[in-house]
Amino acid sequence: MTTDYATAIEAASDTLVGLSHSIHAEPELAFEEHRSAAKIVEVLRAHDFEVTTGIADLPTAFDARFGSGELVLAFCAEYDALPGIGHACGHNIIGASAVGAGIGLAALADELDVTVRVIGTPAEETGGGKVLMLERGVFDGVGAAMMVHPGPFDITGATSLALADIAVEYDGREAHASAAPEYGLNAADAATVAQVAVGLLRQHLYPGQQIHGIVAQGGTAPNIVPSHTELLYYLRAGTSELLDDLVERARNCFAAGALATGCNHRIRTVSPTYTELTPDPWLVQAYREEIIDLGRRPLPVEEEGARPLGSTDMGNVTNVVPGIHPVIGLDSGGAVTHQAAFAAACVTESADRAVLDGARALAATAVRAATDPVHRERLLEQAGRR
């Protein structure tokens, strides 16, 4: 049995590495990943998956299925890039490894009585594609959902922070900054006051709470009092409850900017709220054993919680469906995710090994889930209750 899924992945190895490189070469932003999704779909169809594109009213989302077994096991593919620095989060590796895991498990679908799904999930960096797909029923009936994410080292029980993605806009009144400044209401000053308030708030945050942002729009010319500004902020916390607390306190900081300057302000949600990762402990342990068998040395379990992975919409999935989101390590030369040097590392020989090892470990974990009578029944029961 082990030989079957490993042999299938090995036979597709050149295709999988080529897919990773091809996605990397043409980075596309959230909800615009038309070429990337099409490349993945082409490979899956060539391996006899039935693919439905444009699911959940998302043009770059897809659902690929193989088999008709009772237990549904899903691998999540991501393929969106970052503005300016391309695949500096390695989503090309995520997409290719999910395809590889699907191909490997498909070789055993009938024998294991499983349905294999590779779910194409756009807009992880911003937009919350998985949140929208979860709300629209894409994950209904799934027994377990799995994926791997690249990083500088292997982490099996990876954690993440809950995230609120917001924009804050201030509206004032323009005026000549020299001849008639008293007639202006300075929206840039409102943004400055808010940023100072946020900076002072940081010294009183609970452990695990984070807040960071940028000025997306700050004015048009030095001699025009800015009438409109916009801030983009990420608010994060270790739990959804702590995130709610941070959002409330941050709102007061943003309101302070408007109050101090006489401007109006409004806060809008840019992406759905991401919840923290809650990986399934049994699946985590199964994956850990498989990755060690491949010769990898993941971070000690006691150190995993000290290294949260930022935030991911996979957190929302793991709060509803048993799942895992481990990190597959590659040699990045000291670079970390969201750096240009990490993007360059995501098409190296080490990255190619991560694609194939990730596919093998995910497929092996899925085989364990399908063949362990206790946990197979558990996954089926939980899927039936949703």
PDB file of all heavy atoms in Angstrom, residues 19 51 59:
ATOM      1  N   LEU A  19       5.176  22.243 -12.101  1.00  0.00           N
ATOM      2  CA  LEU A  19       4.008  23.043 -11.711  1.00  0.00           C
ATOM      3  C   LEU A  19       4.394  24.107 -10.696  1.00  0.00           C
ATOM      4  O   LEU A  19       3.997  25.273 -10.822  1.00  0.00           O
ATOM      5  CB  LEU A  19       2.932  22.115 -11.130  1.00  0.00           C
ATOM      6  CG  LEU A  19       1.675  22.776 -10.596  1.00  0.00           C
ATOM      7  CD1 LEU A  19       0.919  23.506 -11.704  1.00  0.00           C
ATOM      8  CD2 LEU A  19       0.764  21.730  -9.924  1.00  0.00           C
ATOM      9  N   VAL A  51     -12.995  17.847 -12.253  1.00  0.00           N
ATOM     10  CA  VAL A  51     -12.752  19.185 -11.721  1.00  0.00           C
ATOM     11  C   VAL A  51     -13.912  20.119 -12.055  1.00  0.00           C
ATOM     12  O   VAL A  51     -14.361  20.188 -13.208  1.00  0.00           O
ATOM     13  CB  VAL A  51     -11.441  19.777 -12.274  1.00  0.00           C
ATOM     14  CG1 VAL A  51     -11.142  21.125 -11.596  1.00  0.00           C
ATOM     15  CG2 VAL A  51     -10.284  18.813 -12.078  1.00  0.00           C
ATOM     16  N   PRO A  59     -14.249  32.855  -9.087  1.00  0.00           N
ATOM     17  CA  PRO A  59     -13.760  32.387 -10.389  1.00  0.00           C
ATOM     18  C   PRO A  59     -12.467  31.586 -10.335  1.00  0.00           C
ATOM     19  O   PRO A  59     -12.253  30.720 -11.193  1.00  0.00           O
ATOM     20  CB  PRO A  59     -13.566  33.697 -11.167  1.00  0.00           C
ATOM     21  CG  PRO A  59     -14.521  34.659 -10.542  1.00  0.00           C
ATOM     22  CD  PRO A  59     -14.542  34.304  -9.082  1.00  0.00           C
TER      23      PRO A  59
END
